[in-house]
């Protein structure tokens, strides 16, 4: 703000809070000089990128302070909110390369400062950051499609949030879903040649009851090693077929 704008702001402050207005012309001049020195970098108004309702207005900031604080207004009560406002607006800006010689460091820095100040006061819109673009990987796309196919084959009849909470009580299914999402070999995709467990069923351990010699089976937490090897070979063959296709 220049001196006339500072004078207008102080006159507005004195109308809102006349009891604290300077009682002499010398005191008023001294106050004007102080505010003009400390707030020279603060604009009277500035347009915000999000719209007029968030724009900067030094008079509105001063009125808010008088309405909410029991203390006399000081230059910092306007300067500090401006720094917060400026940081928010400039934080949205990604400095484009200035149209000056980059070897001229002084000119280069001056151009950057000028652009940032223009963005802060609303003379220029913030320059957005440009994303790094690249071509999608066909191999990654195939893997994602295979993972989606395997997850769909497992089926889902409960919401994902509920399924995540039940994972502790369904370790085999939770493990199969993790392997499918990561596109890793799943031992339950193939039958077990050791215990005879069918596809999708966990491996079994035989149990003989003492005395009666009755034979029963209980599910194992981990598959048999031969089933793991068969699943790895099956997964490798599928990957080779997809790559060849």
């Amino acid at each position: 703000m220049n001196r006339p704008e500072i004078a207008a702001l102080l006159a507005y402050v004195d109308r809102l809070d006349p009891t604290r207005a300077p009682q002499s012309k010398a005191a008023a001049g001294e106050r004007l000089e102080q505010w003009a020195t400390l707030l020279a970098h603060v604009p009277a108004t500035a347009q915000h990128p999000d719209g007029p309702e968030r724009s900067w207005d030094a008079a509105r900031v001063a009125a808010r302070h008088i309405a909410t604080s029991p203390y006399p207004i000081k230059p910092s009560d306007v300067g500090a909110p401006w720094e917060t406002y400026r940081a928010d607006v400039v934080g949205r800006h990604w400095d484009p390369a200035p149209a000056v010689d980059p070897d001229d460091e002084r000119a280069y820095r001056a151009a950057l400062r000028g652009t940032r100040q223009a963005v802060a006061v609303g003379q220029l819109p913030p320059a957005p950051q440009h994303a790094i673009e690249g071509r999608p990987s066909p191999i990654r796309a195939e893997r994602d499609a295979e993972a989606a196919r395997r997850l769909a084959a497992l089926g889902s009849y409960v919401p994902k949030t509920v399924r995540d909470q039940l994972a502790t009580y369904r370790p085999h299914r939770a493990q199969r879903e993790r392997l499918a999402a990561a596109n890793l070999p799943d031992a339950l995709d193939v039958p077990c040649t050791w215990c005879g467990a069918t596809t999708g069923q966990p491996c079994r351990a035989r149990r003989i009851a003492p005395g009666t010699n009755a034979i029963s089976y209980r599910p194992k937490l981990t598959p048999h090693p031969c089933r793991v090897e068969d699943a790895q070979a099956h997964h490798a063959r599928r990957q080779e077929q997809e790559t060849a296709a």
Side-chain angles (χ1 to χ4, degrees):
M1 287 182 283
N2 53 35
R3 292 179 68 86
E5 290 172 330
I6 292 290
L9 176 63
L10 290 175
Y12 177 67
V13 167
D14 291 343
R15 286 198 303 272
L16 295 179
D17 191 7
T19 61
R20 291 173 175 166
Q23 299 303 310
S24 66
K25 186 175 181 181
E30 183 178 351
R31 184 181 62 161
L32 174 61
E33 186 66 27
Q34 178 195 41
W35 281 58
T37 300
L38 297 177
L39 298 182
H41 65 290
V42 179
T45 59
Q47 295 298 318
H48 196 281
D50 290 346
E53 65 280 358
R54 297 191 60 185
S55 295
W56 167 262
D57 189 335
R60 185 169 66 239
V61 172
R64 185 182 301 114
H65 175 84
I66 293 172
T68 59
S69 174
Y71 301 103
I73 189 169
K74 306 183 298 298
S76 60
D77 296 323
V78 178
W82 163 250
E83 294 301 331
T84 301
Y85 175 93
R86 184 181 187 281
D88 172 60
V89 175
V90 177
R92 304 162 180 247
H93 174 70
W94 296 86
D95 292 312
V100 297
D101 184 1
D103 292 332
D104 188 345
E105 182 178 352
R106 179 175 298 180
Y108 195 88
R109 290 180 178 273
L112 287 177
R113 285 194 297 268
T115 301
R116 291 173 185 173
Q117 180 64 16
V119 170
V121 300
Q123 295 175 353
L124 290 176
Q129 182 183 25
H130 296 288
I132 299 177
E133 299 180 355
R135 294 179 299 176
S137 170
I139 297 178
R140 178 62 182 272
E142 292 175 0
R143 291 179 179 176
D144 291 346
E146 173 62 14
R149 184 196 66 77
R150 289 173 60 183
L151 288 172
L154 292 175
S156 178
Y157 55 92
V158 294
K160 184 180 184 303
T161 54
V162 178
R163 186 171 69 246
D164 293 342
Q165 295 177 3
L166 294 176
T168 304
Y169 308 98
R170 303 190 301 170
H172 291 102
R173 182 179 180 89
Q175 176 65 6
R176 296 198 72 193
E177 290 175 348
R178 285 192 291 267
L179 293 173
N183 198 24
L184 295 175
D186 182 359
L188 272 63
D189 280 347
V190 297
C192 182
T193 58
W194 179 266
C195 66
T198 58
T199 301
Q201 297 299 319
C203 287
R204 303 175 298 173
R206 188 170 66 171
R207 181 169 51 192
I208 302 177
T212 62
N213 291 331
I215 299 176
S216 61
Y217 295 89
R218 62 177 177 81
K220 286 171 55 64
L221 294 178
T222 57
H224 287 106
C226 61
R227 192 177 192 182
V228 174
E229 294 175 357
D230 291 343
Q232 292 173 345
H234 175 74
H235 183 75
R237 288 194 299 270
R238 177 176 293 174
Q239 296 286 77
E240 291 176 357
Q241 292 173 358
E242 291 176 355
T243 303

